[in-house]
Amino acid sequence: MGWFRNRWDGSDDPSRYVVCVRRTDDGKAAGAGFVLGPDTVLTCAHVVNAALGRDMLDARPPGVVEVPVEVPDAESRYDSRRYPARVAHWIPPRAPDGGAVGAGSAEWLGDLAVLRVDGPAGGLPPGPPPAAMTAGHKVDAWHGGGRASTIARLTVAALHGPLAYLDGEPTGMAVGPGYSGSPLWCRAEQAVVGLVVGHFLPDGGAGASLALGFQSVIRRSWAVPWQAVEAELRPLGVLDGVRPAPVEPDDPAFELLVEAIEDALPSGSGRGDCARRLARLCGVEPGSDVVPPSPEEFAAFVLTHPRALAALTGILRRDNPRAADRVLAAGALSRTPRLLSAAEYTDLRGLLRTIPAAVLGRFPEAVRAALPHLAARPGGDTVDALLDHLEGLPGDGHASGDERRVPALLRVMEYVGALCPDTQRARLRIWADGVARRLGIERSALGERRYDAQEWARSARGRATRIRVLVQVAKAGRGRHRLRIWCDEGTGPRQVSTESVKSYSASEAAREVLRVLDSLTPPAEDERPPLVEVLVDRGGLNLPVDEWAARDPAELVPGVLGVEFPLVVHCPELLRRNGRFVARWRTRWSRLDSGKALVVSEPTDRDALYSRLVNQVDTVRVSVDVPPGPPRDRIVQTCLALGIPVVMWDRREEGSSHSVRHMAQVATRELPDGVHSYRANAQANPPEFPGRPVLAWADADRTVPRLHLSEPQEGP
């Protein structure tokens, strides 16, 4: 086991690997899960939905909410401790075609949630080792309540792609409600080979039913095999470093670290004292109170425990700063060590819990402002996924000579702090100062980033977050449309539509959107009308939604959407299908106030336009002054796919683009209101304002909900 030892190994009692996910309302078990890493728990997405009181198959990300989880205590065999957790990665239930899961479906794909747990400073108890599932495996599962007596004995009957079917033994416990998310412990492999998702019920049961009799489905359940879990999580980076490989003797980081430890801690007693302090900080047991670890054992632990390097430099920094710098330099050659020590990471998560939800909702915006050239993030924009990504990034390029660079995470936290009330800002700065001291970063270097953040926040406050209403419009036959509507007051979209299958005429749809807009109460300090953002697929970019009018003989005014409110279109499909351009889109958006505008006035070949725009990240706005038809549509869609955040054209069927020329004098950020004003003038005076402007607006600082081709049906 080595000198540094885990506090416990649950293989003799694998029920201790089970984590309980509890409901937020009554504290009862919603389901199970198990530990993936020192601060990470894996469960089913529908277990999180149950914990939050949502529909089981709700595909919407939960947002910045806390879910209570109960983890076995490393110090006691029979106790557990409850901690708050947030969703870091959300893989919602989905149908095989990628769409919503239909009502009454007995099987689905996805359905995983990775939770970040605000646990003890030393980390959670170690999780179980994983292994691939095969047919015939004998496996055990447990209820989320965590009691060993709930063990259900199962056999893997068959694997069908990403699904596995399990048969229970005729006696003992059967898998049922509360078992979802349980690890499937294989006795032969001494490893977890998947997790429980659901069970089958005969026709007339309370869950997902099949048209079969009771004898046909007795004790049949289904699961996600570990190989399918890996396929879902590996692209998100979740499994990176969860179980680091043993250090190779010829690893350059290992050789340099051994030398640095030998020089910094030449005496056995000094090395033993330091090792015992390090073990305590990292939540592991020291191997001896007398015999120290060898320099090789010491270095191997530092390169396999993700937070040991940071903790070691913290121990060395005060009395031996040069040794701390040597240790950091050696550790930088390895991909395993994280930026923060366990205590620093725990403190940061605690501070983030005190920050207002409105500020946490702007965390992605702060990241883009602090790091405008940051590449696309595979794990998404949740706070915890961003923290994972930021911890692995190097410092910025503002250092000179031997000065240590400011890590990306510290820079971002300065930008987040600049958005916070005074008390939270001060606490974040004290935290950042402590990390900077431990890393040997000059105070002046951090002060420069702090000043940049203050200037950005001052500018951002001048552009207060605008209320918006998001309307997904999908065709539902000739002249009919289906709607899904969300409101976003600055903390993210919340769905307000209730209909799932109803279709609307243009007039009925306008009336429904106006009904939602009438229900909003803009803040007193913001006199701007809400922004209406119409979410369409590529075939709906020219839908005249801005011209839809709620015509009702009983009303005094017609209620034209684009005349009463600034209305833009957004096509998330084009960005999602061309994800490699997301980083360029974010960079362009960060330069919205200083970037260049391009006018395309002649039909142009797609390849020529691609070559011209693909790497021009200073081009933030394209005006398409080309007659209607397929060439113009290709130009518009190519611009949007390449990550141009603002694209404008005129829907008129003849003549030149009057509105495009007219709006050329309006600043890019003011275009939604400028187009709104133009439409009002066109309604009042068509001869002078003959255009029918369309504005595609892709705001990288505001999130859009996950879209489906059809509304998810209510599941059991």
Side-chain angles (χ1 to χ4, degrees):
M1 293 179 64
W3 196 91
F4 297 89
R5 302 177 181 180
N6 288 330
R7 291 186 176 180
W8 66 285
D9 177 5
S11 59
D12 62 332
D13 180 10
S15 69
R16 299 196 68 210
Y17 287 134
V18 179
V19 169
C20 180
V21 180
R22 296 203 172 272
R23 298 179 184 272
T24 56
D25 54 358
D26 57 15
K28 294 181 179 179
F34 61 95
V35 176
L36 271 185
D39 62 350
T40 307
V41 162
L42 179 66
T43 185
C44 293
H46 81 261
V47 170
V48 175
N49 281 334
L52 296 174
R54 308 199 310 169
D55 292 333
M56 186 180 79
L57 300 180
D58 195 333
R60 296 171 299 159
V64 186
V65 295
E66 291 186 351
V67 178
V69 299
E70 207 163 274
V71 181
D73 187 359
E75 305 291 343
S76 171
R77 190 171 187 82
Y78 301 103
D79 293 335
S80 59
R81 294 183 182 272
R82 190 174 297 189
Y83 302 105
R86 286 195 301 259
V87 175
H89 301 277
W90 181 252
I91 303 172
R94 65 179 186 272
D97 63 0
V101 180
S105 295
E107 304 170 358
W108 50 84
L109 305 180
D111 200 2
L112 298 173
V114 177
L115 307 181
R116 286 288 185 267
V117 182
D118 290 339
L124 301 175
M133 179 186 286
T134 61
H137 267 159
K138 301 292 185 181
V139 295
D140 299 335
W142 293 266
H143 186 274
R147 288 180 295 183
S149 61
T150 63
I151 184 171
R153 302 284 191 181
L154 307 162
T155 300
V156 179
L159 271 71
H160 183 66
L163 303 181
Y165 301 114
L166 312 172
D167 284 342
E169 294 185 358
T171 59
M173 290 289 185
V175 169
Y179 280 77
S180 294
S182 169
L184 288 167
W185 175 258
C186 178
R187 289 156 258 163
E189 300 285 349
Q190 287 289 285
V192 164
V193 295
L195 74 163
V196 177
V197 178
H199 62 287
F200 293 107
L201 294 176
D203 194 29
S209 61
L210 299 173
L212 300 169
F214 278 87
Q215 289 297 320
S216 300
V217 294
I218 186 169
R219 301 199 175 206
R220 167 63 55 84
S221 52
W222 61 280
V224 180
W226 181 255
Q227 48 267 46
V229 172
E230 277 198 323
E232 296 277 11
L233 299 187
R234 186 69 69 185
L236 304 179
V238 175
L239 302 178
D240 296 345
V242 167
R243 290 189 172 272
V247 176
E248 296 294 334
D250 58 352
D251 184 342
F254 178 68
E255 295 176 357
L256 291 174
L257 195 54
V258 169
E259 293 177 3
I261 290 171
E262 287 176 331
D263 292 344
L265 304 166
S267 72
S269 61
R271 190 164 63 250
D273 289 343
C274 183
R276 281 184 284 275
R277 288 182 63 189
L278 181 62
R280 185 174 65 255
L281 293 172
C282 294
V284 301
E285 292 287 348
S288 171
D289 290 334
V290 179
V291 180
S294 68
E296 289 77 13
E297 285 180 304
F298 206 132
F301 175 70
V302 170
L303 293 179
T304 52
H305 189 291
R307 304 208 178 273
L309 179 71
L312 178 57
T313 57
I315 294 172
L316 296 174
R317 173 61 61 188
R318 189 180 69 174
D319 298 327
N320 197 343
R322 294 191 63 176
D325 289 339
R326 278 188 68 186
V327 166
L328 277 175
L333 299 177
S334 171
R335 297 181 60 185
T336 298
R338 307 294 285 172
L339 174 71
L340 303 179
S341 69
E344 290 167 346
Y345 183 70
T346 300
D347 288 346
L348 175 59
R349 288 182 58 85
L351 290 171
L352 291 176
R353 290 182 64 203
T354 69
I355 292 177
V359 174
L360 283 183
R362 298 181 66 183
F363 201 99
E365 178 187 355
V367 172
R368 288 189 280 273
L371 308 168
H373 301 292
L374 182 63
R377 296 172 297 282
D381 272 357
T382 68
V383 171
D384 296 280
L386 289 170
L387 288 181
D388 282 352
H389 189 60
L390 293 169
E391 267 205 275
L393 296 180
D396 59 30
H398 289 255
S400 60
D402 294 331
E403 180 183 335
R404 292 190 64 81
R405 295 183 175 185
V406 178
L409 177 61
L410 289 193
R411 180 164 186 167
V412 168
M413 296 318 301
E414 291 296 341
Y415 278 67
V416 173
L419 297 173
C420 291
D422 292 344
T423 301
Q424 284 88 356
R425 183 188 311 125
R427 289 172 178 166
L428 279 174
R429 287 180 175 177
I430 291 171
W431 174 87
D433 288 340
V435 176
R437 280 195 302 272
R438 197 255 306 161
L439 293 171
I441 294 172
E442 294 291 337
R443 189 175 182 84
S444 60
L446 188 60
E448 181 184 345
R449 311 313 181 275
R450 193 162 285 170
Y451 175 80
D452 292 342
Q454 289 172 327
E455 291 300 301
W456 168 76
R458 188 176 295 113
S459 172
R461 279 192 290 271
R463 304 190 305 266
T465 301
R466 186 175 201 162
I467 289 181
R468 61 178 183 156
V469 170
L470 299 99
V471 185
Q472 183 186 9
V473 178
K475 291 184 178 180
R478 187 176 182 85
R480 308 290 294 182
H481 309 274
R482 288 195 176 91
L483 305 180
R484 296 175 77 199
I485 306 177
W486 298 261
C487 289
D488 182 3
E489 290 92 346
T491 57
R494 57 178 179 85
Q495 189 166 345
V496 295
S497 58
T498 56
E499 297 289 347
S500 58
V501 295
K502 182 178 179 180
S503 67
Y504 300 82
S505 66
S507 178
E508 292 167 343
R511 190 176 300 113
E512 178 65 12
V513 174
L514 288 173
R515 180 188 65 79
V516 172
L517 286 160
D518 283 341
S519 69
L520 298 176
T521 305
E525 66 274 10
D526 190 354
E527 298 179 352
R528 298 171 300 174
L531 177 71
V532 178
E533 188 171 328
V534 180
L535 307 173
V536 295
D537 59 21
R538 61 196 301 183
L541 284 166
N542 284 302
L543 271 176
V545 180
D546 54 284
E547 300 175 8
W548 289 357
R551 300 193 180 278
D552 187 336
E555 296 292 337
L556 295 176
V557 293
V560 183
L561 290 182
V563 171
E564 292 194 26
F565 298 92
L567 184 148
V568 299
V569 297
H570 186 177
C571 184
E573 169 199 350
L574 288 170
L575 270 175
R576 187 172 63 244
R577 288 171 57 125
N578 300 274
R580 63 189 185 277
F581 299 120
V582 168
R584 293 177 175 87
W585 165 54
R586 298 190 191 283
T587 298
R588 290 186 175 104
W589 182 262
S590 71
R591 303 177 182 181
L592 196 67
D593 295 311
S594 59
K596 301 175 183 177
L598 172 69
V599 177
V600 179
S601 56
E602 296 289 340
T604 182
D605 180 75
R606 180 189 61 188
D607 291 346
L609 185 63
Y610 164 83
S611 301
R612 184 175 183 182
L613 289 177
V614 64
N615 291 318
Q616 284 190 7
V617 292
D618 284 335
T619 300
V620 301
R621 166 181 174 179
V622 174
S623 298
V624 184
D625 193 358
V626 173
R632 188 191 65 188
D633 293 341
R634 280 195 297 270
I635 293 170
V636 168
Q637 293 180 25
T638 299
C639 290
L640 296 176
L642 289 173
I644 304 296
V646 179
V647 181
M648 185 182 171
W649 67 99
D650 197 303
R651 202 186 291 118
R652 283 193 64 184
E653 296 183 1
E654 72 283 332
S656 60
S657 302
H658 176 270
S659 64
V660 170
R661 296 197 314 273
H662 184 87
M663 301 308 299
Q665 306 303 315
V666 177
T668 302
R669 193 175 292 277
E670 305 303 322
L671 275 177
D673 291 303
V675 170
H676 174 215
S677 176
Y678 186 98
R679 288 169 177 153
N681 287 325
Q683 181 86 355
N685 191 356
E688 289 193 28
F689 294 89
R692 300 172 66 196
V694 184
L695 178 63
W697 184 263
D699 187 338
D701 291 334
R702 308 289 295 271
T703 57
V704 296
R706 183 181 176 88
L707 305 180
H708 303 282
L709 295 179
S710 60
E711 181 77 5
Q713 303 297 309
E714 297 296 321

